[in-house]
Amino acid sequence: MPRMSSHATPTIRPITLDADGVNLSALLAEPAGAVPRAVIVALHGGGMRAGYFDSRARPGLSLLRLGAQLGYTVLAVDRPGYGRSAARLPRGLALEEAAPVLWAALADFAARHHTGEGLFLVAHSNGGKLALAAAADDEEYGDMLIGLDISGLGHRLAVAPHQLPGPDRRGDWRKHWGALRLYPPDAFRLGQTLISPVPETEADQGPSWPELYPRLAARVRVPVRFTFAVQEQWWRCDDAAVAELTRAFVTAPVRVDHQPDAGHNISLGWAARAYHLRVCAFLEECLLARVAARPLRSPVGATA
């Protein structure tokens, strides 16, 4: 993993991405005075906003700040139906419609910013569904994609479908958090500013995820890492469920980790820094695998 920069705290600024006429809002943090090693694209979960990845509850918990300090650009995107696009897409989009919109937004970003070795998707909960859909729909931009790191998402629900959050319900709020001791006290007050209604289409598609998941996973070609908080309560993460989760990937290497001392909203908790460092370590492993897979060039003048 690259060394931590000694520069001042990175600046985080709001930007707008043009996804073929649909404007998506986002937060951007860039390494100071350097071309990034890669771009971490962060996708929030249901009922949240891009600021989920920029916790201000305590220093050191923000993925945007940490990533920029480690030499990456971090782009946290408000998914279609959230943030600036909510007025244009009040019902949101189904996954098969949202994935091309995300790719169009990322193409717009890449046309105006250095992307280093490419794009690495970091996603939480429902954002992980979009990350998998985007990775499965990568025919045009697949060479840009490095890997996926997904937290708070499985394929078998640990609750009844009617308990999931939706436009007219927030679900059991404690399942989003787990034990309250796992979060800084300010996390709940500051988290109120991140809450956004779950778009109707996203909520309607939620119960069908167990059927959609294997079809998407089978088409993913880049490395994938899943992380389950020890106190994950929305998704099954027992041995049988994890084995089935990973078996759906046909060609992509996949691993599953468990984050100690964390609830579903890992990036808002005390464990955020530990988790984000693991995210960056996995990104570095993906970059290493790319380098190792490249053909070895003979030195100039060398003979066989």
Tab-separated table of all heavy atoms in Angstrom, residues 18 20 51 56 158 292:
chain	number	residue	atom	x	y	z
A	18	ASP	N	-22.105	14.403	-15.811
A	18	ASP	CA	-23.106	14.371	-16.881
A	18	ASP	C	-23.199	12.946	-17.413
A	18	ASP	O	-22.293	12.454	-18.082
A	18	ASP	CB	-22.703	15.331	-17.995
A	18	ASP	CG	-23.717	15.339	-19.145
A	18	ASP	OD1	-24.744	14.647	-19.039
A	18	ASP	OD2	-23.454	16.031	-20.147
A	20	ASP	N	-24.975	11.412	-19.914
A	20	ASP	CA	-25.790	11.522	-21.122
A	20	ASP	C	-27.080	12.288	-20.859
A	20	ASP	O	-28.182	11.849	-21.222
A	20	ASP	CB	-26.108	10.134	-21.686
A	20	ASP	CG	-24.889	9.463	-22.295
A	20	ASP	OD1	-23.931	10.184	-22.630
A	20	ASP	OD2	-24.901	8.227	-22.431
A	51	GLY	N	-22.269	11.276	1.057
A	51	GLY	CA	-21.557	11.644	2.272
A	51	GLY	C	-21.373	10.501	3.256
A	51	GLY	O	-20.639	10.640	4.237
A	56	ARG	N	-17.694	12.579	9.362
A	56	ARG	CA	-17.033	13.673	10.090
A	56	ARG	C	-17.162	13.478	11.602
A	56	ARG	O	-16.826	14.378	12.366
A	56	ARG	CB	-17.676	15.008	9.691
A	56	ARG	CG	-17.683	15.308	8.202
A	56	ARG	CD	-16.286	15.482	7.649
A	56	ARG	NE	-16.270	15.764	6.225
A	56	ARG	CZ	-16.321	16.983	5.694
A	56	ARG	NH1	-16.421	18.041	6.476
A	56	ARG	NH2	-16.266	17.143	4.384
A	158	ALA	N	-31.922	-11.896	5.683
A	158	ALA	CA	-32.104	-12.390	7.048
A	158	ALA	C	-33.389	-11.848	7.654
A	158	ALA	O	-33.668	-12.072	8.831
A	158	ALA	CB	-30.907	-11.981	7.909
A	292	ALA	N	1.489	-8.367	-12.358
A	292	ALA	CA	2.050	-9.716	-12.461
A	292	ALA	C	1.563	-10.451	-13.698
A	292	ALA	O	2.246	-11.348	-14.217
A	292	ALA	CB	1.687	-10.512	-11.209
